[in-house]
Each structure stands twice: as structure tokens, then as C-alpha cells.
Amino acid sequence: MLDRRSFMATAATAGVLLPTGSAAFAAAMQPISMPAAGLYDSNEDAYWAALRKQFLIPKNVVNLNNGTVGSSPRPVLKAVFDSYELTEQMTQAGSEDYPIWGYGPWVEFRKPFADFMGAHVDQMAILRNCTEANSYIANGFDMKAGDEVLISDEEHGSGEQPWVLRAKRYGIVVRKFAMPKAPKNPDEILNRINDAITPRTRIIFVSHISTATGVILPAKQIAALARSKGIISAFDGAHVPGMIAIDLNDIGCDLYTGSMHKWLFAPKGTGFLYLRDEAVMNRVWNTVATGGWDDPTRMADRYMQIGSANIPTMMGLNAAIALAQSIGIERIERRHRYLADYLHAAMMERGAQSWTSPDPAMRCAIATVNVPPVSRMELQEWLWKNHQIRVRGGEPSKLRLCTPYYLSKADIDRFLEQFDAFRKMKGIA
Ligand SMILES: Cc1ncc(COP(=O)(O)O)c(C=O)c1O
């Protein structure tokens, strides 16, 4: 007979939803061992299935909506909870050594993340999310009324609205170019950007991976184009950390932002702002200020001076980086592509219209498709309520299908089967 603890742990992995805060939830949080070394080479499916157990998402739930927020796995949650327990004791040795303060340089959190992203610690500020980091750029970048920012027509509200606010308040101009739908090669995007640049363009701000379509924009070429014209380049990389391998300094951009809570599975409340060098920092005013904001020797750290901070989330961030590194980002990216390509091809076979790039190199773990006359909201509700499958999209018929590495082909087949069943039920051929 199962004791209470093993019953609850079994219940969680068998797909029973457990109320958070309950003893059952705590039991389900017990550590589970990582896949054995060598399993990837001997049995890749078993390797990913073993990693799936690190996620609290019940077994019967298929999560194809990782693009909104990721689910933090056990090692990340454990780091956060342990860190709360430790810091809340307030027993640190030094009288000034009070671990849940902000104000410090926090190299122990900035450096692992900077290393992971191909940047130097001095270039990296960890903020609370991508929206905040984008707001730092739009609010703080040195511009006069009439100066232009060039953005795409596919920016997330958290990329576009900070500029709209600045325009409304201070008279800068937000100019938009239309992204090709769907881009077949990088030059199509570069040409659109080039054609939209004017003598008043001061900064180009675009997503590195489009939230709407999953298209990977040619960041390195865009940064080079901007530089050749004396324009600052800034990227919203909300979907980048943990989805694809990246080397920020190789891209050669001036500014870059992102979220760690999506594809890296770090705790909610983690985002970042990368600033290339002192010259760029001198052109970006702080938005939130306390002591230290005006000390240039602190480099990117001065953008982290926000007052008291939530250090346990950063301990969770370090655990998320360690998990990704223990798997290997190249391996993760390959898995993302494999699952998304499989799903994308299956939707094409069903007559869907692709909204992402037809070039597999220009997309990764987001396969956006248009499936008229299916109502995405009706399908989304039906899939979640009846089949525990999460999808999300846009009106009226667009589905943004995300494939985090812990999904299996069988999970995707379950979605496809129910997608077919829904269409049949609605009399759609
Ligand atoms: C491109 C893009 N930028 C910004 C955001 C907002 O991110 P955060 O929740 O980290 O503020 C999102 C969220 O989906 C996004 O897709």
C-alpha cells in the first residue's frame, strides 16, 4: 500500500492537479534524479522523458504555450525555496551582510548569466522582466522630439508600448516597417529595414525572435546595417535565452533585452538588459534610481540599482542556467527544432497556412500557423477544458504552437488528434 507521501508523488506524475500550498504539492516537489550520464546517446527519447519528470506539469497536460511563460522545474523551485529559507533566517555573519537587500553588485548572479549569453558581466544587468528592460531603453535612450525609433509591425506590446509612451510624452516618432509575411530569407527583412530608415532614425528596435510568428530575425546583419549608418541597434530577445544558442558580443548590437522565465524556465521576475559598452551606457539614462545609478565605474550594474530586490529569484536563475548547461544548449536547440519542425509539417499536411518562415533555419521552437475557419479561441478553450492541452494564438484563426524540449512526439500527436477531432466536430473538412 502507498503511504500518503508516495501516493501524492504518484498522483502528481499521474496527472492529478494538486492544489499549490498543500502538503500534496510539497510532496510532489521532492527531488527526482536527473537522467543518467550516457542516456542521451543510448536512448534519446528516454533521456527527454526522464527530464520531463523534472517539471511539475501533470503527465496528462500538454503545454504548447511555453511562449507566454515557462514552467520552472524542480531544481529551480528548490533553489528558490531553499534560498528563501536561508535568507529569511537573517543569520549572515556580517552586520551589513543582509542577504535579501538589493544594492549589491550581484556578480554571482550576473556573471553566470552573462557567460551563458556570450557577454561580459560588466555588460549585463538583471532586471525583473523583459517589459522592464524594454522600458529602460525606450524611456532612457537619449533622444529629442522628432527623433525616430524604427520598430517592426510585429513587436509585442511590451516592446512597442514603451516607445508609444515616450512618443506621447516627449514627441519622439515611432516609425514602423511591415515584416514580410512570411519571410523566405534574411534579405527580405533587411531590405524592409533599410528602406524604412530616414535621416531622423536614431535607434532600430526589433525582436530577435518574433513573438507572433516565431521568425528568427537576422540580428547580426541588422546590427551591422545600423552601425554602418550610425544608428543604435536594440533587440527584444524575450524568446531567446534557453531557446537557441546565443553569443551577444558576436551579434555586435548595442542593446539587448530578454526574459529568463520563458524558455530558460527561470523564476518569474527575471529579465535582463545588455548594454554593449560605456559609450552606449552614456546614452541610456536610468529609469529607476537609487544610490549608485550615476557611478559609471559600476558599468551595467548601475541599471540594477532598484532598491530592495528579490534575491531568491536570482538563485533560481542560477539553477535554471545550471540545468540548461547540464543538458547543453546545442542539444536543447536541436530538440526544439526537431519538435517544432515535426508539428509544423503535420499542420501543413492538414492544409494550415504557415505564418512562420518556410526556411527552418529562420525559426526554432515556435511554429505559428493560420487555420481558418477554425476559431482559435473556441479551439483553445475546448482543448484545455476537455483534453488538458494548452495552446494560444491570435484572432481569428492563428495558433502559436510552442515546443519546449520536454515535450514528446506523442504529446504533439495528441494535440494533432484532437485538432482533427475538433475540425470534424465543427464540420470543417
Ligand atoms: C517579444 C516579447 N517581448 C516582451 C515580452 C514580455 O516579456 P516579460 O513577461 O518578460 O515582460 C514578451 C512576452 O511574451 C514577448 O513575447
Side-chain angles (χ1 to χ4, degrees):
M1 209 171 103
L2 291 174
D3 61 19
R4 181 179 156 78
R5 192 169 146 136
S6 11
F7 166 75
M8 293 308 182
T10 310
T13 45
V16 179
L17 288 170
L18 299 172
T20 47
S22 66
F25 180 79
M29 272 293 304
Q30 292 306 303
I32 285 181
S33 51
M34 293 291 287
L39 184 58
Y40 183 83
D41 295 322
S42 61
N43 185 345
E44 194 184 325
D45 284 344
Y47 174 84
W48 295 111
L51 270 175
R52 170 69 174 86
K53 295 189 182 131
Q54 297 298 337
F55 291 82
L56 270 68
I57 298 172
K59 209 173 162 185
N60 62 333
V61 171
V62 177
N63 181 26
L64 292 165
N65 183 31
N66 190 79
T68 304
V69 283
S71 167
S72 290
R74 290 169 203 273
V76 174
L77 296 176
K78 183 167 170 12
V80 173
F81 296 162
D82 287 355
S83 150
Y84 269 118
E85 271 196 77
L86 182 74
T87 55
E88 296 298 342
Q89 290 176 36
M90 300 189 172
T91 51
Q92 270 56 38
S95 63
E96 283 284 300
D97 190 10
Y98 178 44
I100 48 176
W101 268 1
Y103 306 106
W106 303 116
V107 172
E108 63 270 50
F109 306 116
R110 289 162 59 218
K111 182 161 176 9
F113 185 68
D115 289 348
F116 182 71
M117 297 294 288
H120 188 272
V121 63
D122 283 344
Q123 300 169 303
M124 188 60 73
I126 295 179
L127 299 177
R128 285 168 294 194
N129 58 33
C130 187
T131 306
E132 185 174 62
N134 289 343
S135 298
Y136 263 77
I137 296 178
N139 190 57
F141 181 59
D142 198 11
M143 290 171 94
K144 297 189 296 295
D147 285 349
E148 292 177 5
V149 55
L150 178 59
I151 68 173
S152 86
D153 64 349
E154 284 183 13
E155 298 314 313
H156 188 274
S158 297
E160 178 178 328
Q161 290 307 311
W163 293 109
V164 172
L165 187 160
R166 176 89 183 260
K168 197 162 178 187
R169 191 167 178 198
Y170 294 114
I172 66 149
V173 176
V174 181
R175 178 178 285 272
K176 270 191 205 176
F177 69 94
M179 276 281 285
K181 317 257 184 273
K184 288 187 274 310
N185 56 58
D187 283 350
E188 284 186 0
I189 301 173
L190 282 169
N191 289 338
R192 297 268 176 115
I193 295 177
N194 194 39
D195 291 350
I197 290 172
T198 79
R200 300 303 301 261
T201 309
R202 298 288 172 263
I203 182 165
I204 296 172
F205 176 95
V206 285
S207 293
H208 188 177
I209 298 181
S210 167
T211 191
T213 65
V215 167
I216 303 178
L217 282 79
K220 196 167 175 168
Q221 290 101 310
I222 294 170
L225 171 66
R227 191 162 297 267
S228 73
K229 295 184 181 263
I231 297 168
I232 290 288
S233 59
F235 292 89
D236 174 337
H239 293 277
V240 170
M243 188 204 284
I244 57 174
I246 177 144
D247 184 337
L248 281 176
N249 281 337
D250 181 60
I251 288 177
C253 60
D254 297 298
L255 297 157
Y256 196 104
T257 63
S259 316
M260 290 80 112
H261 62 81
K262 294 180 189 288
W263 297 90
L264 192 55
F265 308 132
K268 283 81 201 155
T270 47
F272 73 96
L273 170 63
Y274 159 96
L275 307 101
R276 181 185 162 91
D277 54 25
E278 225 173 318
V280 173
M281 293 177 201
N282 287 339
R283 297 185 65 183
V284 180
W285 288 86
N286 266 48
T287 288
V288 177
T290 180
W293 75 271
D294 201 17
D295 175 358
T297 64
R298 294 183 77 147
M299 300 294 282
D301 166 50
R302 64 186 151 117
Y303 298 90
M304 279 183 70
Q305 300 312 307
I306 60 159
S308 308
N310 191 351
I311 300 307
T313 60
M314 292 203 246
M315 298 206 178
L317 169 62
N318 278 3
I321 296 166
L323 175 64
Q325 283 170 333
S326 78
I327 302 168
I329 188 66
E330 282 77 19
R331 201 178 265 184
I332 290 173
E333 181 175 335
R334 249 194 329 273
R335 174 74 174 179
H336 282 155
R337 290 183 184 282
Y338 165 77
L339 293 170
D341 288 353
Y342 175 70
L343 178 50
H344 186 255
M347 293 304 282
M348 294 298 99
E349 275 169 26
R350 285 162 170 78
Q353 181 191 0
S354 178
W355 273 46
T356 190
S357 175
D359 177 359
M362 287 181 72
R363 57 177 204 248
C364 183
I366 299 178
T368 302
V369 290
N370 197 30
V371 290
V374 171
S375 154
R376 78 96 184 179
M377 205 58 204
E378 218 186 311
L379 173 71
Q380 182 177 311
E381 283 282 306
W382 183 81
L383 284 173
W384 179 240
K385 298 271 160 61
N386 299 292
H387 300 285
Q388 294 75 51
I389 298 171
R390 272 196 194 280
V391 297
R392 213 170 160 223
E395 304 318 331
S397 301
K398 205 178 68 173
L399 302 178
R400 183 184 67 170
L401 304 169
C402 299
T403 56
Y405 65 69
Y406 58 76
L407 291 182
S408 65
K409 246 172 134 178
D411 289 329
I412 292 175
D413 288 340
R414 239 185 84 201
F415 160 74
L416 293 168
E417 198 183 309
Q418 295 310 329
F419 176 72
D420 292 344
F422 181 84
R423 287 201 308 173
K424 198 165 165 203
M425 186 175 80
K426 294 283 166 190
I428 301 167

